[in-house]
Amino acid sequence: MRSPSARVPGATREASDSTMNGNHSIQVGTSQVPDPELGRAAGSDRDRVEAFILLGGGLTPSPLTAATRCSVLDLLVGPGDSTVFARWLRAVDVLNDGAKGNMPVVIANGGGNPAPKLESHLGGRTIEVVIDKESFRGAAGVVRDVSRQFDEDALLLVAEAARCPDFDLSGTVNHHRVNGFDATVLVNPDNTPAGVYLMARKLLDHVQREGYMDLKEQWLNKVVESNHRVGVHRLSAGYSRPLRTREQLLLAARAAFQGGDGQPASMHFGAAVRTSGHGAFSCISPDAVIDESAVIVDSIIMPGARIGASSIVTRSVVCHGGLVSADARLVDAVVGATAATRSQLSPHGLHREPPS
């Protein structure tokens, strides 16, 4: 591998980001023009992503997960019933020439985070939920543990589940391959981390079998120092927004609801979306029960929620089965999923604990 600051073929400029790769300077590339020495035949098996691994959180839940009492993947984050998980599936469906349903999905959850609801998303997909209740492995350790069944040359897409994937992944694998990268780190247009990685499975051999290792600092530094080619790909369209707080969820929902010109995006999910005008938005599930006298502004109302008469809900999130009583004033708040509803959100995909 060239030195970390050397120019990478096909990259348009360099960028240094200590939050992603220690003090190393690595390339931010947006060019899709193949390097003649590195290009590979289009459509080869090496251009296929063999698995999509979603990191659902560790032993300590985020403030948003603690407040909602459900998996971040189950939260609405766009018009109608557009959940975070549904948006992730749409984002990865452009890979492998759009061969939907053929890419295994592994959701790796720490014991401190609720498992996601899957029955409405399974279809023909292979979806596996792995629950790690005890070990403190870190993101890199978890990815290593759940990907052992894949060949060492298998290309894996790894992402932080607590993100709103409002971006286009088409061209990402091509950029990774034609530049001969072993690992590619995706960043937003402003160079902030997107929480998405492409990597060959063999690079996870740099993760110890026991103990903690994260992806952004420890694992990535080890890969760079071990003579592998690491590149950075800037998303040319869209943004990867973190979802760790109520404020971030509402910001992501607003961005998903509106197009680039400030008008409602062309997204149709067969569900009601009510707005109050003046730039405000609300994402309301058709399975919510809302009294016609209630006022809802800049809020997310999920399936099974009940909003009482003459109540006002502003800049808030009401989760599965949540109740807002009549005449209530709910501002900047979260009503978490009820215990009865949470029992209905158990995973229906393949469920296992990580191998020892």
Side-chain angles (χ1 to χ4, degrees):
M1 179 182 176
R2 305 176 188 187
S3 66
S5 60
R7 181 164 180 76
V8 177
T12 56
R13 70 183 181 91
E14 297 180 359
S16 178
D17 190 334
S18 60
T19 67
M20 297 172 54
N21 194 21
N23 295 318
H24 296 289
S25 177
I26 52 183
Q27 304 304 332
V28 176
T30 56
S31 172
Q32 301 298 325
V33 180
D35 185 296
E37 297 180 359
L38 298 173
R40 295 185 175 92
S44 69
D45 288 341
R46 292 179 59 84
D47 291 329
R48 292 186 58 83
V49 177
E50 295 297 326
F52 175 41
I53 300 175
L54 267 174
L55 297 170
L59 296 179
T60 303
S62 70
L64 180 62
T65 298
T68 60
R69 302 196 293 272
C70 66
S71 169
V72 67
L73 293 172
D74 292 330
L75 298 176
L76 293 186
V77 71
D81 281 338
S82 179
T83 64
V84 175
F85 189 43
R87 293 181 68 85
W88 271 118
L89 294 182
R90 290 208 313 275
V92 301
D93 275 344
V94 303
L95 304 174
N96 297 348
D97 296 323
K100 297 182 180 181
N102 293 335
M103 186 192 310
V105 179
V106 180
I107 301 172
N109 255 43
N113 289 268
K117 176 182 179 181
L118 299 179
E119 63 267 26
S120 62
H121 302 291
L122 285 174
R125 302 175 189 271
T126 300
I127 300 180
E128 182 179 20
V129 179
V130 182
I131 305 295
D132 187 358
K133 297 181 179 179
E134 298 180 359
S135 66
F136 293 85
R137 293 288 282 141
V142 169
V143 175
R144 180 189 186 279
D145 293 346
V146 302
S147 63
R148 293 180 184 178
Q149 69 269 35
F150 300 105
D151 295 337
E152 66 173 16
D153 290 326
L155 184 61
L156 306 178
L157 181 72
V158 179
E160 300 169 5
R163 295 256 176 185
C164 182
D166 184 22
F167 50 68
D168 184 0
L169 287 176
S170 60
T172 303
V173 175
N174 181 62
H175 178 82
H176 174 85
R177 289 305 191 195
V178 300
N179 286 287
F181 296 148
D182 297 305
T184 295
V185 183
L186 275 65
V187 298
N188 288 311
D190 60 3
N191 290 338
T192 56
V196 182
Y197 307 80
L198 272 174
M199 64 182 72
R201 204 281 301 163
K202 61 186 175 184
L203 296 188
L204 296 169
D205 291 343
H206 294 289
V207 181
Q208 63 268 24
R209 293 181 180 273
E210 297 180 356
Y212 179 92
M213 179 178 283
D214 67 19
L215 280 171
K216 293 179 183 177
E217 298 285 351
Q218 295 167 306
W219 174 77
L220 193 56
N221 276 322
K222 272 201 169 185
V223 170
V224 170
E225 292 166 358
S226 299
N227 226 27
H228 294 290
R229 293 180 58 86
V230 176
V232 176
H233 180 60
R234 185 191 296 111
L235 295 168
S236 58
Y239 202 89
S240 174
R241 301 180 185 276
L243 300 175
R244 293 185 52 81
T245 66
R246 173 189 58 84
E247 294 88 347
Q248 289 175 338
L249 178 65
L250 292 175
L251 178 63
R254 176 186 287 277
F257 177 72
Q258 294 182 334
D261 58 358
Q263 299 301 315
S266 57
M267 300 168 60
H268 303 284
F269 299 92
V273 178
R274 308 179 188 181
T275 69
S276 60
H278 305 292
F281 81 100
S282 286
C283 299
I284 303 175
S285 169
D287 294 325
V289 178
I290 303 173
D291 189 275
E292 62 182 10
S293 63
V295 176
I296 301 174
V297 181
D298 282 339
S299 297
I300 297 174
I301 313 298
M302 298 188 191
R306 292 172 293 166
I307 311 298
S310 301
S311 60
I312 298 176
V313 180
T314 303
R315 297 188 304 274
S316 296
V317 179
V318 184
C319 296
H320 307 269
L323 171 64
V324 177
S325 59
D327 298 313
R329 300 293 182 266
L330 193 69
V331 180
D332 296 332
V334 174
V335 177
T338 63
T341 305
R342 290 199 304 276
S343 68
Q344 300 169 9
L345 298 180
S346 58
H348 290 264
L350 180 61
H351 182 193
R352 67 175 172 90
E353 295 187 3
S356 57

